[in-house]
Amino acid sequence: MRIDTTSSVPLYAQLEGILAADIESGRLRPGTQLPPEDSLIARFSVSRTTVRAAVQNLARRGLIEIRRGRGTFVSRPKLTQELSGLTGFVEDMQALGKQATARLIDQGVVPAAEAVARHLQLEKGTPVVRIRRVRLADGTPISLDETYLPHDVGIKVMANDLEVEPIFTLLEQKYDLPLIEADYRLEAVAANSDVAVALLVPLGSPIFLIERTSYCADRAAVDYERLYYRGDQISFVTRLARR
């Protein structure tokens, strides 16, 4: 395709459309590097300003990602996860045909901060177990999971290989704590230094923060999590019925 200099459509919009079509058709495959600015300038006979405007628009649309010091790359399609039931990361990734793995960052006993205590129905300062893991899909970091468990349950859970065994599976199948329901809260946040390092993203990158409190019978809270999902890797969908 060529740029039409006689068209009323701005040059940057035409270039954006051409590159978007190449991405959507597969001519520019996910993970491949976009041609450098000088190459696009020569190929389409446009200015550097035109090229940069087109590239910025493609980045805003999520079709490409700009990696500082490395270049501009075609984005990989986001994972699409349904929020339709209480499921764990491994179950979610299996449903998407992805291999789920985990990397344990740390685990131990900490005093419950006010928010943690409220969600676990405990007094502030009560000892709880905190487990922090990076969750990966096909080797790509997707989320940083910060899990809090009541002390008696958490001590048992920590004795297992948490890079292999999902916590939900341990609670339900090994410790006879069937999960009945959960409260979810989803918020858009910017990656702080801990999240950025764990997920290999720039500081300030868009992150989905999910707070999830899971309950056993009689609404007994057994698991409180803060799940930090990479905004460039996943989207969440659900279906709602009108009341």
Side-chain angles (χ1 to χ4, degrees):
M1 297 179 65
R2 294 178 176 273
I3 296 288
D4 182 359
T5 56
T6 65
S7 171
S8 61
V9 178
L11 298 182
Y12 74 86
Q14 292 187 54
L15 178 57
E16 176 189 347
I18 292 170
L19 295 175
D22 284 347
I23 292 170
E24 291 163 3
S25 69
R27 285 190 291 271
L28 287 173
R29 293 179 296 171
T32 59
Q33 190 168 7
L34 206 67
E37 281 187 0
D38 288 342
S39 174
L40 293 173
I41 290 169
R43 177 183 169 189
F44 294 103
S45 300
V46 293
S47 69
R48 194 172 303 275
T49 300
T50 295
V51 169
R52 290 182 176 176
V55 167
Q56 289 295 333
N57 282 352
L58 290 170
R60 277 192 285 269
R61 292 168 60 182
L63 294 178
I64 61 173
E65 54 182 293
I66 301 171
R67 303 176 189 172
R68 297 191 182 280
R70 296 181 59 192
T72 304
F73 295 81
V74 178
S75 300
R76 298 186 183 278
K78 290 186 179 184
L79 302 174
T80 301
Q81 181 180 325
E82 291 189 19
L83 294 179
S84 57
L86 176 53
T87 53
F89 184 85
V90 172
E91 296 167 302
D92 293 333
M93 294 305 107
Q94 287 175 342
L96 295 171
K98 302 293 182 180
Q99 181 183 9
T101 53
R103 177 168 58 84
L104 182 66
I105 297 178
D106 59 51
Q107 59 180 359
V109 178
V110 298
E114 183 175 350
V116 174
R118 182 174 69 255
H119 285 281
L120 289 179
Q121 303 164 349
L122 301 169
E123 292 292 329
K124 181 181 177 181
T126 301
V128 296
V129 165
R130 183 185 69 184
I131 299 165
R132 298 172 73 236
R133 296 169 297 163
V134 175
R135 315 303 297 276
L136 305 96
D138 290 347
T140 299
I142 299 297
S143 75
L144 170 63
D145 293 7
E146 192 173 90
T147 301
Y148 294 88
L149 302 164
H151 185 269
D152 58 338
V153 174
I155 291 296
K156 296 176 184 177
V157 169
M158 279 200 300
N160 297 275
D161 184 352
L162 298 180
E163 293 193 342
V164 175
E165 300 183 77
I167 290 177
F168 274 16
T169 300
L170 291 169
L171 293 174
E172 294 188 314
Q173 298 182 11
K174 190 169 184 177
Y175 301 118
D176 194 27
L177 292 168
L179 303 174
I180 306 300
E181 59 185 354
D183 292 329
Y184 274 73
R185 178 177 176 273
L186 194 151
E187 179 182 359
V189 300
N192 62 25
S193 57
D194 286 345
V195 174
V197 169
L199 296 182
L200 306 179
V201 298
L203 186 69
S205 294
I207 297 292
F208 288 115
L209 168 58
I210 294 179
E211 288 187 279
R212 179 171 67 189
T213 306
S214 300
Y215 302 92
C216 291
D218 301 324
R219 288 283 292 182
V222 71
D223 180 297
Y224 168 60
E225 299 163 285
R226 294 179 183 138
L227 312 173
Y228 299 86
Y229 280 90
R230 286 176 56 170
D232 65 335
Q233 290 290 328
I234 197 162
S235 61
F236 297 94
V237 297
T238 189
R239 177 176 294 242
L240 303 175
R242 183 167 174 78
R243 293 178 181 176

